[in-house]
Amino acid sequence: MAANRTILLLSVGHGCVDVYQGAVAALVPFFVAERAYGYAAASGIVLAASLLSSVAQPLFGALTDRRALPWLLPVSTVVGGLGVAASGLGGSYGLTLVSVAVSGVGVAAYHPESARVARIASRGSHTSMGWFSLGGNLGFAAAPLMVTAAVSGGGLRWTPVLVLPALAGSVLCLPVLRVLTDRAASATSGTASSCLPEVADDVRSFVKLSVAVAARSVAFMGLGTFVALYARQRTGGGTAAGTAALTVLYLGGAVGTVLGGRLAARWDRVTVVRGAYLAGVLAVAGVVLVPGPSLYGCVALASGCLHVPFSLQVTLSQDYLPSRVGTASGVTLGLAVSVGGVAGPLIGTLADATSLRTALAPLVLMPAVSYLMVRALPEPPVHRLAAPPSVRLRQA
């Protein structure tokens, strides 16, 4: 199988998993309407999915550093789908939290291994990693439309329909598993050390990058949780206005992810990430302050700025910790949702006490924090992970 076909399958599979991260946020307005949840209770649902996922991702990453676990790809995809599918069936708030938490574990198990496999298949190409990340962002973007189509007519009892992408994604993983098995079987007796230079981990840079990722998470997850409700307030529209805002948020992220890979092919990754976060300060401010239909343009710009660094931060984390690629991926991808998920209930509580606009205002500071963290980061050499796929798989 050609490398680009492998990346394509991984990208589509990534979308089939990340649709469930987006689905949880997309279900929030329906939980509010059908079960009369407040802002804090609604954001707690997002927290249940994101917090457990973020804690589990580094653990799964550490496991994949010890040995390759490609079978996690189809299994975790199905688990992620089953959790969201069951979220609308239980009448109690507790059962809903358990369901989305199970989905979060599935998402957690998928990402570190898929990032490792995608990095191997990409052979260090930022553009290929950008396409892999694009699949996840398109899954996010499809989530509001998918959720609306599934439950707007019959209510939350139709959430079992949402398992269909998981079943499709698990099937798409099978050709990739077969290729990985064939490569491992044909691996030579050479060791990874003959192909991978001995380079020390740059833990200090990794920690700074992780803080930047965490601040970005607060900004994006805060917008993702409340932008649908906020758009309805600022535009005077109904459910369609909120769904449109969430779709624009996710589509803007898809464009930003691809753009980030292309820009990194021209400039170094740190320069691109730094510029994106600086522009993101103004973009997020526009979301909070601009009224009316112009809000949608600000949402698209903010999402793009926050997603230009997305795939680049994954490869940067891997290059800062070349001896622990799975752990680096798990921490980076886990922080991408965890801190934002934890901040969600705080934003919701503040919104309940004041207004949603007031609660969203602190999000403007988050891209500024990210910029300060990456401002002086060094650009690590990409060749740290440029081992042939068969050798890297044998090492794992």
Side-chain angles (χ1 to χ4, degrees), residues 106-175:
V107 171
Y110 176 86
H111 279 97
E113 179 68 1
S114 66
R116 184 186 68 83
V117 171
R119 184 66 188 272
I120 292 170
S122 71
R123 294 177 171 86
S125 168
H126 301 314
T127 301
S128 294
M129 286 297 292
W131 284 111
F132 167 71
S133 297
L134 171 65
N137 290 317
L138 289 178
F140 265 102
L145 300 177
M146 182 187 72
V147 167
T148 300
V151 305
S152 61
L156 293 172
R157 63 189 178 88
W158 282 94
T159 55
V161 176
L162 300 177
V163 77
L164 294 178
L167 299 179
S170 63
V171 172
L172 291 173
C173 289
L174 298 181

Side-chain angles (χ1 to χ4, degrees), residues 137-218:
N137 290 317
L138 289 178
F140 265 102
L145 300 177
M146 182 187 72
V147 167
T148 300
V151 305
S152 61
L156 293 172
R157 63 189 178 88
W158 282 94
T159 55
V161 176
L162 300 177
V163 77
L164 294 178
L167 299 179
S170 63
V171 172
L172 291 173
C173 289
L174 298 181
V176 176
L177 297 184
R178 185 166 57 249
V179 170
L180 293 178
T181 301
D182 292 343
R183 285 178 175 176
S186 62
T188 64
S189 59
T191 63
S193 61
S194 62
C195 298
L196 288 173
E198 293 293 336
V199 182
D201 291 340
D202 188 349
V203 177
R204 182 177 181 180
S205 294
F206 176 76
V207 170
K208 288 184 177 180
L209 179 66
S210 297
V211 174
V213 172
R216 175 212 171 270
S217 172
V218 173

Side-chain angles (χ1 to χ4, degrees), residues 21 29 72 95 100 208 228 335 382:
Q21 293 196 78
L72 276 177
L95 289 176
V100 297
K208 288 184 177 180
L335 286 175
V382 177

Side-chain angles (χ1 to χ4, degrees), residues 239-251:
T239 302
T243 300
L246 201 56
T247 301
V248 169
L249 181 77
Y250 294 154
L251 286 176

